[in-house]
Amino acid sequence: VQLVESGGGLAQPGGSLRLSCSASGFTFSSSGMHWVRQAPGKGLEYLSGISGNEGSILYADSVKGRFTISRDNSKNILYLQMSSLRPEDTAVYYCVKDGWYTYGLLGHWGQGTLVTVSS
Amino acid sequence: DIQMTQSPSTLSASVGDRVTITCRASQSIGDWLAWYQHKPGKAPKLLIYKASTLESGVPSRFSGSGSGTEFTLTISRLQPDDFATYYCQQYDDLPGFGGGTKVEIK
């Protein structure tokens, strides 16, 4: 299993950014996928998840209405579209694959991509 | 949403110590509880799932127990590689983490 995040960087408050996660080494279309973040000096925070067939999409209250998760099963890529960004969205963002075919069990993690929201 | 509360938030221990971390859920989650180890600059690692099932490749000094609302992670004999932050996470409903327990060298 390999998960490689990209798209992080510096964004302005109120701005947008799209994160991507390229997946390999497993059947992507059969796996639930998630985004989790860790702000500087803080703990892990679950953000969003999407099932393999996109039948289930989850959002934490902190990002609902601002972030959109999506996936392209033909390209094995997971996305997180982030808009109306706030300084408190500054964090390392992790792409995560379900473990043991269990939706919500965070079995395999990417190395993360840093998002900084600042003017 | 289900709230997860971990204690303690920090724990000072020595190599060879037995360490126990507690996690409480705000409502029953059955055994849909996982534990993760996180070291600075690295990806978190799944240790235990379904409250007590050891993930493949995880040393047997790690164990988990509990069901419903009360769970524990125990490290039987702390090793130098175990100094890290540990998180519980429920996946019964919208997934959520506890606040974390940092295991420090005493």
Side-chain angles (χ1 to χ4, degrees):
Chain A
V1 173
Q2 191 166 17
L3 302 167
V4 180
E5 302 95 338
S6 60
L10 179 64
Q12 302 266 349
S16 298
L17 211 56
R18 188 177 81 160
L19 305 183
S20 300
C21 171
S22 292
S24 60
F26 63 99
T27 305
F28 183 72
S29 59
S30 297
S31 295
M33 299 294 297
H34 309 266
W35 290 99
V36 174
R37 71 183 178 188
Q38 184 179 37
K42 303 290 187 181
L44 298 175
E45 180 186 12
Y46 182 86
L47 298 180
S48 184
I50 184 169
S51 61
N53 63 6
E54 303 180 58
S56 172
I57 292 179
L58 305 172
Y59 292 103
D61 287 345
S62 58
V63 302
K64 198 178 295 183
R66 298 190 302 125
F67 291 9
T68 301
I69 193 171
S70 62
R71 62 192 297 158
D72 186 333
N73 286 345
S74 68
K75 296 181 179 177
N76 290 1
I77 301 178
L78 176 72
Y79 299 102
L80 186 68
Q81 178 68 47
M82 304 186 294
S83 60
S84 302
L85 284 165
R86 306 164 179 167
E88 55 265 37
D89 294 319
T90 295
V92 174
Y93 285 71
Y94 294 100
C95 166
V96 192
K97 171 192 173 297
D98 273 349
W100 298 106
Y101 306 102
T102 303
Y103 193 46
L105 174 61
L106 307 174
H108 303 272
W109 298 62
Q111 289 300 310
T113 186
L114 177 63
V115 171
T116 303
V117 182
S118 174
S119 55
Chain B
D1 295 355
I2 299 172
Q3 305 304 314
M4 305 300 292
T5 305
Q6 264 182 260
S7 60
S9 55
T10 307
L11 190 159
S12 296
S14 301
V15 171
D17 283 355
R18 180 183 180 88
V19 164
T20 299
I21 298 168
T22 299
C23 179
R24 288 187 175 87
S26 60
Q27 65 188 69
S28 178
I29 58 171
D31 58 359
W32 301 112
L33 191 283
W35 292 95
Y36 302 85
Q37 178 190 66
H38 193 200
K39 297 180 179 179
K42 298 214 168 180
K45 175 185 174 183
L46 174 65
L47 297 176
I48 287 169
Y49 60 98
K50 276 213 99 187
S52 61
T53 303
L54 205 62
E55 172 70 331
S56 177
V58 173
S60 59
R61 62 181 180 273
F62 290 91
S63 64
S65 64
S67 66
T69 61
E70 300 266 341
F71 303 87
T72 59
L73 172 71
T74 300
I75 309 172
S76 59
R77 285 180 301 277
L78 202 64
Q79 297 301 300
D81 191 47
D82 301 337
F83 291 97
T85 301
Y86 294 85
Y87 295 90
C88 64
Q89 178 239 337
Q90 64 80 15
Y91 50 106
D92 180 55
D93 193 13
L94 177 70
F97 291 95
T101 297
K102 184 175 183 180
V103 177
E104 298 181 327
I105 300 174
K106 194 172 190 178

